[in-house]
Amino acid sequence: MLSGAAAAAGLSLEEARLEMLRTWRALVEAAKTTALYPVEHLGRIMELMTTVHGSSREFRDLAADVDEVIAERTGKLDSGDRARRRGLIHIKNNDHLAAIDELQKVKIAYYSGETVDGSVLAMLLLAEQYQFLGLHIAARYFSACALFLASEQEQARRLVSKAAFAVVKTFYGGGEGLTSLLAIAHALEVHRMTASDAADWAKHPHVQTGIYHAEIYRAITCRMVPALIAEVDLVLDTWPIAPEEVQTFKRWSDELFKDLTNAELRARVEQGVKVNPFLDIGPQNQYRWVALGLGWAVEFEPTDDDRAAALEIVA
């Protein structure tokens, strides 16, 4: 429809899109000074337009202005809910940057009282979006914030386990495989203390995912760095689960990838894990990420001071 109108007006598609947004901008400005204008309708229209125009910065600025008008007339919670719905549309469209924009608004809008669990959920979704972008330290920041807030607020206590395993995922995704196993030990303890039916992992997919990633890491270690497997198993033995369950986990891990050649396994790691899973071992550790079309790395000695300095640089 827009392409046809653009051709009829002698405009390019981009010019027609910008003209359309300017028209909506004028309507929003008029709504600001019209006391009884039904601004909720504007919010619904912005939501419908998100699927097509959500990746546009101009559109997201327009939607933000609509949210401000709605907030003044109906309260912040309503605008937060609209931002949440737009964010979910962006997530469905794999538009991670646009989703981050909206989720930041949701996080702020819900950061109080009875809605604080909504803020925690927004933080967890933010962490997930940053992981899709390969920015695992940013993801760790939001998942750690979610864990802290959920631990402190009774309204959000049901999300503590999810937040703990979200932190675990940032280590695994960032190539800190051994650290992720240590983090799982803490996450399992938190899960045991806070989750309902904690022993039934089938009811907690985030736990199953974390354990499966650990299984993959151990299997890769067996094949690619066998000298490290004793250290890995020592960490697994600290997990707060029954010893026979740990042994079962190790047997399952031994069966993974056994039919793959070493070359096939390396290709699987590059395709699936997408990063060297051993960046946190050896005399030099690394943080790696991709931004602005470039690969970045910070290398440091594995001491507390050097790690803190490296994290400060990465942040």
Side-chain angles (χ1 to χ4, degrees):
M1 182 181 295
L2 186 58
S3 58
L11 301 173
S12 70
L13 187 59
E14 177 63 13
E15 288 171 336
R17 186 185 66 80
L18 291 174
E19 183 62 30
M20 179 270 294
L21 291 175
R22 279 192 287 269
T23 301
W24 279 108
R25 168 70 65 187
L27 178 60
V28 171
E29 293 302 320
K32 290 179 180 179
T33 58
T34 306
L36 299 179
Y37 188 88
V39 292
E40 294 89 346
H41 293 336
L42 285 177
R44 177 58 180 161
I45 290 169
M46 293 299 106
E47 185 180 330
L48 293 172
M49 291 171 65
T50 298
T51 301
V52 178
H53 302 287
S55 60
S56 161
R57 167 54 65 182
E58 293 87 357
F59 170 78
R60 296 205 300 274
D61 289 344
L62 176 64
D65 280 356
V66 170
D67 281 349
E68 288 184 12
V69 176
I70 293 174
E72 291 175 0
R73 305 283 178 85
T74 65
K76 283 189 176 181
L77 183 58
D78 188 68
S79 294
D81 192 47
R82 294 181 191 281
R84 179 187 62 82
R85 291 199 295 269
R86 292 197 302 268
L88 292 176
I89 292 172
H90 292 313
I91 290 172
K92 184 178 180 180
N93 292 340
N94 292 319
D95 192 343
H96 307 302
L97 292 176
I100 286 169
D101 269 1
E102 299 295 349
L103 291 169
Q104 291 280 16
K105 300 171 191 173
V106 178
K107 178 196 70 175
I108 295 170
Y110 288 167
Y111 193 81
S112 64
E114 294 183 356
T115 63
V116 71
D117 55 336
S119 185
V120 172
L121 284 169
M123 291 177 191
L124 293 176
L125 286 172
L126 280 163
E128 187 177 79
Q129 297 310 297
Y130 277 112
Q131 286 223 274
F132 279 127
L133 294 172
L135 301 175
H136 303 288
I137 301 300
R140 190 171 306 159
Y141 168 81
F142 281 104
S143 55
C145 286
L147 177 58
F148 174 79
L149 190 58
S151 301
E152 292 291 311
Q153 300 291 329
E154 182 64 34
Q155 186 72 17
R157 196 67 51 82
R158 62 187 175 84
L159 298 170
V160 169
S161 175
K162 285 185 179 180
F165 275 92
V167 174
V168 170
K169 192 175 180 181
T170 69
F171 289 113
Y172 177 78
E176 300 173 80
L178 189 60
T179 306
S180 75
L181 299 186
L182 292 164
I184 284 178
H186 296 291
L188 284 171
E189 185 63 28
V190 167
H191 175 74
R192 183 185 66 80
M193 293 188 297
T194 62
S196 60
D197 295 323
D200 188 354
W201 290 356
K203 295 182 179 179
H204 304 281
H206 59 281
V207 178
Q208 291 181 309
T209 298
I211 298 300
Y212 181 59
H213 285 165
E215 191 175 318
I216 291 173
Y217 175 74
R218 185 182 183 278
I220 293 171
T221 303
C222 284
R223 292 283 295 277
M224 299 179 69
V225 193
L228 184 62
I229 197 62
E231 186 73 22
V232 167
D233 284 349
L234 281 176
V235 174
L236 296 178
D237 290 338
T238 68
W239 285 6
I241 58 177
E244 56 270 22
E245 291 181 338
V246 174
Q247 294 307 314
T248 299
F249 169 89
K250 292 176 182 178
R251 287 196 299 270
W252 287 346
S253 177
D254 290 338
E255 294 297 312
L256 278 180
F257 311 133
K258 67 177 183 179
D259 295 328
L260 298 181
T261 66
N262 286 342
E264 289 171 336
L265 178 58
R266 288 192 184 91
R268 181 74 66 85
V269 170
E270 290 175 1
Q271 182 180 17
V273 182
K274 297 181 181 178
V275 66
N276 180 347
F278 306 111
L279 296 179
D280 59 341
I281 61 173
Q284 293 291 319
N285 290 185
Q286 289 185 2
Y287 292 126
R288 290 184 185 175
W289 70 98
V290 175
L292 304 175
L294 299 172
W296 302 77
V298 175
E299 191 169 287
F300 56 94
E301 294 184 3
T303 66
D304 290 343
D305 288 345
D306 281 10
R307 186 177 300 278
L311 281 171
E312 186 174 351
I313 292 171
V314 173

